[in-house]
């Protein structure tokens, strides 16, 4: 493969499901296995080998990727800080995705000393009533907020993640205000993808395409305040909304985005769905997927080198070709910067190249056909 071909496939973020174990049973979680499956988690030696493979892949790029230690709940894994330290020693940029409920002063100190550049904490509502309903544990909101305060106390940069559903969409601005008051550097809004436990939730709580459009416009207006970084995940059509509302042009001429990117990371790529393009997901068993919400197995790091999977997987190559998009996504003028959510397309049709089923936009090209 030529250097120019490789340059189009720069890995920016590797999400690792470090363990299937979790102290919560959230209604919208991607995982299907119970904590009993923890015996299938990668061992310490296997995890270090995966990190070695990531370091090798980084050597073919002009920068090191960010490795997000996720789960399950990564803080349930006994060797998590050893592995974070190992990744950092190889130049990998470590980040942590936690539900926050296990973060007390001592744990926050460990996170600080481990070299984590940013932690993300999920809040699925601005009140305990809403959050605890989705998290399915009383007191989880209060514990998560306390965990956030401990991170702030230790001066650990953190962001708030929220998964939008019918249950909490009305609290979007409230969550934004709460994040501001807590000292977050960013709010990342996740649009629900109907996989894992989320399949059941999607039947009752998934926003309609029109409701998604309304929320994306609301996010754009919050984003325009330029108080902190806003990012929409699994909502690639936000890139279209940014341009339609003129915010992308304002930012481009005004010198960038408030809040910046993950320290040491390499943001700046304005693209909607990054599944298999700038992002990859490794499961607790070592299986590699384009993202955590697209169950298309591209290989296993215990059997195939990550570099070979990244550069040679036929599924990843197909996903990177926007010319192969079908339906209205295939003719949309925004396909290069949006691409539609490949996870939702797969969930709705079994075909990850099908059109995004939760996008209300009808491209003029589709009408004229």
């Amino acid at each position: 493969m030529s250097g120019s071909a490789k340059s189009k496939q720069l890995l920016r973020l590797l999400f690792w499901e470090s363990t299937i174990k979790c102290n919560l049973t959230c209604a919208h979680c991607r995982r299907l296995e119970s904590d009993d499956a923890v015996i299938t988690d990668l061992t310490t030696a296997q995890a270090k080998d995966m990190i070695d493979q990531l370091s090798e892949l980084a050597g073919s790029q002009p920068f090191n990727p960010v490795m997000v230690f996720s789960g399950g709940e990564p803080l349930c894994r006994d060797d998590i800080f050893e592995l974070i330290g190992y990744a950092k020693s190889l130049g990998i940029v470590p980040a942590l995705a936690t539900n926050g409920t296990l973060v007390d002063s001592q744990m926050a100190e460990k996170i600080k000393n481990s070299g984590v550049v940013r932690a993300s904490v999920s809040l699925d509502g601005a009140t305990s009533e809403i959050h605890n309903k989705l998290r399915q544990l009383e007191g989880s909101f209060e514990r998560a907020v306390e965990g956030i305060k401990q991170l702030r106390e230790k001066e650990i940069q953190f962001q708030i993640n929220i998964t939008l559903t019918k249950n909490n969409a009305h609290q979007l601005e409230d969550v934004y205000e709460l994040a501001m008051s807590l000292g977050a550097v960013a709010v990342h809004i996740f649009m629900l993808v109907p996989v894992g436990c989320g399949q059941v939730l999607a039947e009752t709580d998934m926003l309609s395409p029109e409701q998604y459009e309304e929320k994306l416009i609301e996010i754009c207006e919050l984003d325009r305040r330029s108080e902190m970084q806003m990012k929409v995940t699994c909502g690639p059509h936000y890139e279209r909304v940014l341009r339609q509302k003129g915010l992308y042009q304002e930012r481009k001429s005004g010198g960038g985005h408030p809040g910046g990117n993950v320290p040491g990371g390499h943001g700046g790529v304005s693209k909607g769905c990054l599944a298999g393009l700038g992002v990859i997901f490794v499961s607790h068993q070592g299986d590699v997927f384009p993202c955590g919400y697209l169950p298309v197995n591209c290989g296993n790091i215990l059997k195939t080198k990550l570099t070979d999977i990244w550069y040679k997987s036929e599924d990843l190559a197909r996903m990177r070709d926007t010319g192969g998009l079908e339906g209205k996504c295939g003719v949309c003028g925004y396909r290069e910067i949006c691409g539609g959510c490949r996870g939702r397309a797969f969930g709705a049709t079994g075909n990850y190249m099908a059109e995004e089923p939760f996008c209300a936009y009808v491209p003029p090209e589709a009408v004229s056909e």
Side-chain angles (χ1 to χ4, degrees):
M1 179 174 287
S2 68
S4 60
K6 280 191 176 184
S7 69
K8 297 179 181 178
Q9 299 161 29
L10 300 176
L11 180 61
R12 299 174 182 278
L13 284 163
L14 183 145
F15 290 87
W16 177 41
E17 183 184 41
S18 59
T19 179
I20 201 64
K21 190 175 182 181
C22 189
N23 60 320
L24 301 180
T25 54
C26 304
H28 53 294
C29 184
R30 65 165 298 280
R31 71 174 189 150
L32 287 170
E33 301 99 324
S34 69
D35 283 356
D36 295 336
V38 73
I39 58 171
T40 61
D41 284 351
L42 294 181
T43 65
T44 301
Q46 289 171 334
K48 285 186 175 180
D49 182 63
M50 175 190 64
I51 295 169
D52 286 337
Q53 293 182 40
L54 179 58
S55 179
E56 179 186 348
L57 174 55
S60 66
Q61 303 188 163
F63 56 80
N64 286 328
V66 174
M67 182 174 180
V68 181
F69 290 78
S70 183
E73 172 49 56
L75 297 180
C76 287
R77 183 168 175 133
D78 294 338
D79 61 355
I80 193 67
F81 294 112
E82 177 184 352
L83 295 174
I84 290 172
Y86 186 69
K88 189 172 178 62
S89 74
L90 295 180
I92 303 300
V93 183
L96 181 71
T98 174
N99 61 45
T101 61
L102 300 178
V103 181
D104 56 15
S105 180
Q106 186 177 15
M107 184 66 77
E109 186 69 26
K110 289 181 180 179
I111 295 171
K112 175 74 172 179
N113 294 336
S114 72
V116 163
V117 296
R118 183 185 291 188
S120 65
V121 181
S122 298
L123 286 181
D124 288 316
T127 59
S128 59
E129 178 187 8
I130 299 297
H131 176 90
N132 292 347
K133 180 180 178 181
L134 273 169
R135 295 282 151 174
Q136 300 185 152
L137 179 68
E138 284 302 313
S140 59
F141 176 79
E142 291 80 5
R143 287 165 60 189
V145 170
E146 180 56 33
I148 289 169
K149 291 178 180 178
Q150 294 295 340
L151 293 174
R152 183 180 64 187
E153 182 72 21
K154 302 298 181 182
E155 298 182 338
I156 301 165
Q157 191 180 100
F158 67 90
Q159 67 187 50
I160 301 299
N161 292 351
I162 175 173
T163 299
L164 279 191
T165 67
K166 288 180 180 177
N167 192 55
N168 64 13
H170 67 286
Q171 285 198 336
L172 176 58
E173 185 171 0
D174 294 332
V175 169
Y176 175 93
E177 297 290 355
L178 177 60
M180 283 288 297
S181 69
L182 290 170
V185 297
V187 174
H188 286 210
I189 299 115
F190 288 69
M191 299 302 190
L192 185 64
V193 181
V195 297
C197 297
Q199 283 179 295
V200 177
L201 185 66
E203 294 177 7
T204 56
D205 253 29
M206 195 152 181
L207 297 172
S208 69
E210 293 74 23
Q211 289 170 325
Y212 268 131
E213 190 75 7
E214 291 173 5
K215 286 295 143 184
L216 290 173
I217 293 171
E218 183 180 344
I219 293 167
C220 187
E221 292 310 311
L222 291 172
D223 202 352
R224 184 170 263 120
R225 297 182 187 179
S226 297
E227 295 170 321
M228 61 180 162
Q229 184 195 44
M230 300 282 286
K231 186 177 185 299
V232 179
T233 299
C234 302
H237 20 316
Y238 186 58
E239 292 299 329
R240 165 181 54 80
V241 172
L242 282 174
R243 287 158 176 81
Q244 289 176 326
K245 297 298 180 182
L247 184 55
Y248 176 80
Q249 291 84 345
E250 291 173 22
R251 289 272 161 74
K252 194 173 181 181
S253 61
H257 201 295
N261 302 293
V262 176
H266 300 273
V269 173
S270 187
K271 177 74 167 65
C273 184
L274 289 174
L277 183 63
V279 167
I280 208 164
F281 179 91
V282 181
S283 80
H284 70 110
Q285 296 175 297
D287 293 316
V288 178
F289 300 94
C291 79
Y293 303 101
L294 181 47
V296 174
N297 196 323
C298 298
N300 187 291
I301 55 96
L302 300 179
K303 301 174 182 177
T304 308
K305 289 291 186 183
L306 186 60
T307 298
D308 289 335
I309 295 172
W310 181 248
Y311 289 124
K312 298 178 182 179
S313 164
E314 292 183 5
D315 283 308
L316 294 181
R318 188 181 175 208
M319 244 168 268
R320 292 164 182 154
D321 179 15
T322 56
L325 292 173
E326 300 172 12
K328 67 179 183 180
C329 285
V331 298
C332 183
Y334 292 102
R335 66 183 177 276
E336 294 293 337
I337 50 98
C338 170
C341 174
R342 299 300 98 217
R344 277 195 293 272
F346 184 84
T349 67
N351 172 14
Y352 56 71
M353 296 303 282
E355 68 179 46
E356 157 72 66
F358 282 84
C359 176
Y361 179 69
V362 180
E365 298 86 347
V367 176
S368 61
E369 282 193 340

